[in-house]
Amino acid sequence: MKNLSHAKMRLIFQKLMKYIGNNIKSFIERPDGPYHFREKKDRVYYVSQKILSIANNIESDNLLSLGTCIGRFTKSGKFRLHITALHHIAPYAQHKIWVKPSAEQQFLYGNNIMKSGLARITEGINQYQGVVVFSMNDLPLGFGVAAKNTADCKHADPVAIICFHEADIGDYIRSEDTLL
């Protein structure tokens, strides 16, 4: 595990700001202790200070992963969030969309959210803003990008796309066939 360069940290913070805004400080300096980002083979891990200090006793060649993998760097140098970051990011999300029970399954199959499936939306969402998608039971389902701002969503057609799909908890099931 190695420390990230300043440029890579900037990419991570830019991506996180898209979803959690100014809550990044709370995301890193948590009540249970500070958290850090570490990299191994282009994957970025979110790990507590306690675990990190214990892992320093293990040789880096013998260490496969540490903490939670929150994303990876692509070959083109961009940072992509993994769905494993969802439960860490969801409590800090500033922009949220709740979907109706009838639209949950469609989102979990990798489809975009239409106006007819929208149950609630937070105020002040701008177009192309990162959002966290929730079920009506406040269960985080995935990440998305707002296709319209909040004001336009109220007057949109029922078949208009409100949120573009990025990642969801159904990714594990869909990718199971490719892993075997």
Side-chain angles (χ1 to χ4, degrees):
M1 293 295 201
K2 63 181 179 179
N3 290 331
L4 285 107
S5 67
H6 182 69
K8 287 186 175 183
M9 284 297 289
R10 189 169 15 94
L11 287 173
I12 293 170
F13 285 148
Q14 285 174 347
K15 182 62 93 168
L16 288 174
M17 288 242 344
K18 186 176 179 181
Y19 293 97
I20 63 177
N22 294 329
N23 291 334
I24 288 181
K25 186 174 182 181
S26 302
F27 184 68
I28 295 172
E29 297 174 8
R30 294 176 31 169
D32 57 337
Y35 275 66
H36 302 277
F37 297 107
R38 292 294 183 262
E39 179 185 14
K40 182 161 183 140
K41 295 184 180 177
D42 291 331
R43 302 217 182 268
V44 177
Y45 295 90
Y46 178 67
V47 61
S48 71
Q49 176 68 39
K50 291 178 186 178
I51 304 270
L52 192 60
S53 62
I54 293 169
N56 285 335
N57 297 328
I58 300 171
E59 194 174 319
S60 63
D61 293 338
N62 296 333
L63 193 62
L64 294 177
S65 69
L66 182 67
T68 303
C69 179
I70 64 161
R72 69 179 182 89
F73 288 102
T74 63
K75 291 181 181 180
S76 63
K78 296 179 182 175
F79 180 72
R80 288 190 50 98
L81 279 175
H82 280 189
I83 194 62
T84 51
L86 179 64
H87 289 287
H88 293 287
I89 291 174
Y92 301 103
Q94 289 185 333
H95 305 293
K96 302 175 184 179
I97 289 180
W98 288 267
V99 294
K100 294 178 181 175
S102 60
E104 281 182 31
Q105 192 166 11
Q106 290 300 315
F107 181 74
L108 294 177
Y109 283 152
N111 296 321
N112 298 326
I113 299 172
M114 292 189 288
K115 170 73 167 28
S116 61
L118 181 67
R120 291 188 332 208
I121 186 170
T122 56
E123 291 294 323
I125 294 178
N126 296 324
Q127 188 175 17
Y128 306 122
Q129 177 73 46
V131 294
V132 177
V133 178
F134 288 87
S135 70
M136 288 304 293
N137 299 331
D138 285 331
L139 175 72
L141 298 176
F143 301 115
V145 175
K148 299 180 180 298
N149 61 25
T150 305
D152 290 343
C153 289
K154 294 176 183 175
H155 305 294
D157 292 334
V159 294
I161 295 174
I162 299 299
C163 178
F164 297 118
H165 177 273
E166 282 211 342
D168 64 82
I169 56 177
D171 285 342
Y172 288 122
I173 296 169
R174 289 194 305 274
S175 65
E176 186 174 282
D177 292 336
T178 61
L179 295 175
L180 295 175

